[in-house]
Amino acid sequence: MKTVLLNIAAVLLGLVIGSVINMGLVMAGGGLIPPPPGVDLNSMEGLAAAIPQFEARHFLFPFLAHALGTLAGAYVACRVSAGRRAVYAYVVGCFFLAGGLANVVLLPGPLWFEITDMLLAYLPMAWLGASLAKKF
């Protein structure tokens, strides 16, 4: 029972830490790469209306946020969990992948970004997080 609770806590901690990193990078990106003039990013509707005006550089921080948030969350889950540790890194990766899929549905972006994000930001980063956790 103690192992089960530890593994649940590991996944939850991984999700929280990954989400904090994700949100921090998204917020930092808006300050470092400002949106086009006249764009309202304070609502989903405003963001959806602004996406066609975005250049490739505007998608750098969202990708980094998704990838590094997943990497950190998977790493933490793998380090904290007991037993088959890589499994919990992949559980975190799958949660973030589900969030990414929801993002694609709710906030459609350019196809090149969606493909890159789905293929590189989630499960590969979960694998990398588990690999790093095992190594260190």
Side-chain angles (χ1 to χ4, degrees):
M1 183 66 174
K2 182 179 178 182
T3 303
V4 171
L5 292 176
L6 178 63
N7 292 336
I8 291 170
V11 169
L12 291 174
L13 184 62
L15 290 172
V16 168
I17 289 176
S19 296
V20 167
I21 289 172
N22 184 326
M23 187 52 66
L25 286 169
V26 167
M27 291 172 64
L32 294 172
I33 302 173
V39 169
D40 174 28
L41 300 180
N42 295 322
S43 68
M44 287 292 280
E45 295 79 19
L47 185 56
I51 285 180
Q53 299 175 39
F54 283 179
E55 300 170 13
R57 65 190 176 114
H58 291 107
F59 294 97
L60 176 63
F61 271 89
F63 175 78
L64 287 174
H66 299 165
L68 295 178
T70 302
L71 174 67
Y75 177 85
V76 167
C78 191
R79 291 290 300 195
V80 172
S81 64
R84 298 173 22 200
R85 294 178 173 220
V87 169
Y88 303 103
Y90 285 112
V91 169
V92 169
C94 287
F95 270 105
F96 279 105
L97 176 62
L101 288 170
N103 191 44
V104 166
V105 171
L106 296 173
L107 200 60
L111 185 60
W112 65 266
F113 173 73
E114 292 175 349
I115 291 171
T116 303
D117 198 49
M118 291 295 111
L119 292 179
L120 299 177
Y122 302 106
L123 296 182
M125 290 298 119
W127 171 81
L128 184 58
S131 297
L132 291 172
K134 289 178 187 176
K135 193 171 196 171
F136 299 107

